[in-house]
Amino acid sequence: MRTQVGIVGAGPAGLLLSHLLHLRGIASIVLEARSRDYVEHRIRAGVLEHVVEQLLIETGVGANMQAAGLPHEGIILRFGGRDHRIDFRALTGKHVTVYSQHLLVRDLIAARLAAGGTILFEADAVSLHDIDTAQPRIRYRQAGIEHELICDVIAGCDGFHGISRPAIEPHLRIFERDYPFGWLGILADAPPSSAELVYASHDRGFALLSMRSPTVSRLYLQCAPDEDLDAWSDDRIWAELQTRFSREGGFTLQEGRITQKGITPMRSFVAEPMQHGRLFLAGDSAHIVPPTGAKGLNLAAGDVAVLARAVEAFYRRGQTALLDAYSATCLDRVWKVQRFSWWMTSMLHRFAAHGDFERRVQLAELAYVTSSAAAATSLAENYVGLKLPV
Ligand code: APR
Ligand code: PHB
């Protein structure tokens, strides 16, 4: 088989890239190891930056998001038993939209298939070949049979545990940080207890109140990185959430049936450069952010917007300048977002190594961010999203 751009991975990065290329008249084939049903039900994050929302609307895949997504014009930082609102609308004129990642994945798959696009599910990319040449190849296995896809360009959109980044490991420099905690996340059949997301910094640890719809809550609490999920009965989870979200004057945390439970490790990771030869890494295959800033999906969208434009220049005008600049263009934004995600994580979590001094400094930082217009604006403009470099 042959195509122009071979895309490994049907997560948000691979699917959106395939869509953006199609709009530019460029053919692609997406290889996905999992089934369609699996990727359409995989629970992940759910906050879209303003710029990403605009990109989806402008490229014709925003209708369901506009109908079912929940626009948020601010967030609440809760500490010392009090609420402090960061008003995105007033500070930046923009908002974010809460829309489940798996619904976006569904929308993108539907758009690609409706346009006659090819996504091969349960097609496991096994190895990449000749990426230093003008005809790189992907070997993949589907239903026990090995196939080969010959392309002009390969996009490695196969997430953190894929095969693309390892294929060029000797050429990469890795920057990483593990955090000494994780997040225990639940989905619950309970109406959100707050209209806006609540980021709570409590002496017992961080907690986050988010949502998926007017009837489904998404809640997280800071836990040990190797926490044993079996040690957390539903009752214990609710009791801990009740404590961490407590507020002066009272706060009612709505409880409900827990329908999903999981532990998310916290990591910051960047591979540089994001390209070698004709292989371009995009999304989680190139970088991971801790979820505190809600940036993973948004970073992936930014990468593929840059890549689609660069691939277009390559085919239309035979120019490789934008492809050559791909990594540097993305990394500028990636590092700014890494900084923001690390900063939010550091400010809001309890660190076992911290003493009373560091805790006081954290609380002073929270008090500063919520009382200075300059500091609040900095948080807000990063949260709603820095502009895309396209
Ligand atoms: N062959 C084919 N597909 C593969 C392979 C392989 N060898 N390895 C992994 N994949 C697939 C995975 O099954 C997954 O569907 O690649 C896809 C990668 O998707 P994501 O992990 O969602 O990564 P990405 O598209 O970069 O999205 C980034 O999604 O998970 C969040 O935190 C992440 O929000 C961020 C965003
Ligand atoms: C989520 O709703 O899953 C979510 C929201 C905000 C975050 C992280 C995750 O910072």
Side-chain angles (χ1 to χ4, degrees):
M1 275 216 298
R2 207 192 178 302
T3 190
Q4 290 180 299
V5 180
I7 301 177
V8 188
L15 292 167
L16 182 59
L17 176 63
S18 180
H19 174 65
L20 296 177
L21 291 173
H22 165 71
L23 296 179
R24 290 166 162 88
I26 297 160
S28 65
I29 290 179
V30 181
L31 305 175
E32 168 57 52
R34 303 288 193 153
S35 68
R36 178 174 178 183
D37 190 63
Y38 183 91
V39 298
E40 289 191 341
H41 291 92
R42 184 166 44 194
I43 302 295
R44 292 268 181 84
V47 179
L48 301 180
E49 291 177 351
H50 181 81
V51 281
V52 172
E53 181 188 18
Q54 291 307 112
L55 176 70
L56 298 175
I57 295 169
E58 282 163 17
T59 62
V61 285
N64 291 340
M65 174 200 63
Q66 284 181 291
L70 308 169
H72 282 236
E73 301 194 340
I75 54 167
I76 310 287
L77 300 183
R78 183 171 294 173
F79 56 95
R82 299 228 176 115
D83 278 355
H84 307 261
R85 181 166 189 261
I86 305 286
D87 187 335
F88 299 155
R89 166 79 49 204
L91 296 166
T92 69
K94 298 184 178 124
H95 64 266
V96 294
T97 296
V98 172
Y99 187 61
S100 296
Q101 179 170 309
H102 70 281
L103 297 183
L104 177 62
V105 162
R106 268 182 225 181
D107 296 343
L108 290 167
I109 289 174
R112 287 308 297 126
L113 297 182
T118 306
I119 307 170
L120 303 179
F121 291 101
E122 296 175 72
D124 212 341
V126 204
S127 52
L128 307 182
H129 302 269
D130 299 337
I131 54 181
D132 283 317
T133 73
Q135 253 198 7
R137 293 175 291 125
I138 308 172
R139 287 229 180 103
Y140 67 95
R141 195 176 298 122
Q142 200 177 25
I145 298 167
E146 281 235 359
H147 304 265
E148 191 169 87
L149 178 60
I150 303 170
C151 346
D152 300 324
V153 167
I154 298 176
C157 302
D158 45 353
F160 190 66
H161 300 288
I163 60 150
S164 298
R165 191 184 64 254
I168 54 170
E169 204 92 60
H171 306 281
L172 302 178
R173 179 162 178 210
I174 304 297
F175 301 82
E176 63 187 318
R177 156 174 301 225
D178 286 324
Y179 297 87
F181 41 76
W183 279 11
L184 193 165
I186 61 163
L187 268 181
D189 287 334
S193 307
S194 160
E196 296 186 332
L197 272 63
V198 180
Y199 288 80
S201 177
H202 190 275
D203 287 346
R204 291 179 60 87
F206 172 74
L208 171 62
L209 187 161
S210 179
M211 61 216 63
R212 286 293 176 271
S213 75
T215 55
V216 176
S217 291
R218 178 79 166 142
L219 297 143
Y220 300 94
L221 52 90
Q222 177 183 350
C223 61
D226 55 353
E227 192 76 50
D228 177 13
L229 205 48
D230 292 337
W232 287 84
S233 66
D234 292 6
D235 286 347
R236 182 177 172 206
I237 292 174
W238 286 118
E240 190 62 32
L241 288 168
Q242 293 285 2
T243 302
R244 296 193 193 179
F245 285 117
S246 60
R247 187 182 61 183
E248 270 176 27
F251 175 72
T252 308
L253 180 68
Q254 303 281 353
E255 300 187 6
R257 192 172 65 95
I258 297 179
T259 56
Q260 207 247 4
K261 261 188 226 183
I263 308 246
T264 313
M266 305 281 281
R267 181 188 290 129
S268 299
F269 178 100
V270 181
E272 291 190 8
M274 290 168 56
Q275 172 249 344
H276 181 77
R278 288 285 180 94
L279 171 63
F280 296 81
L281 304 178
D284 277 15
S285 75
H287 40 69
I288 295 285
V289 284
T292 327
K295 291 297 178 202
L297 167 61
N298 296 295
L299 268 185
D303 290 348
V304 299
V306 173
L307 187 53
R309 183 185 62 161
V311 171
E312 179 181 27
F314 169 68
Y315 282 112
R316 287 263 164 87
R317 302 186 285 280
Q319 290 172 356
T320 59
L322 288 181
L323 277 180
D324 295 341
Y326 169 74
S327 176
T329 306
C330 288
L331 285 169
D332 177 67
R333 185 168 196 270
V334 165
W335 276 110
K336 286 174 183 155
V337 175
Q338 285 287 351
R339 182 210 68 84
F340 176 69
S341 303
W342 161 82
W343 174 73
M344 287 282 280
T345 303
S346 308
M347 177 170 68
L348 288 161
H349 290 76
R350 291 304 312 268
F351 287 75
H354 281 183
D356 293 344
F357 179 84
E358 288 86 356
R359 178 64 180 150
R360 282 286 192 277
V361 169
Q362 270 185 335
L363 292 171
E365 179 148 37
L366 284 162
Y368 173 59
V369 162
T370 52
S371 61
S372 150
T377 305
S378 168
L379 192 162
E381 80 170 339
N382 279 280
Y383 200 101
V384 301
L386 303 176
K387 70 179 172 36
L388 294 178
V390 288

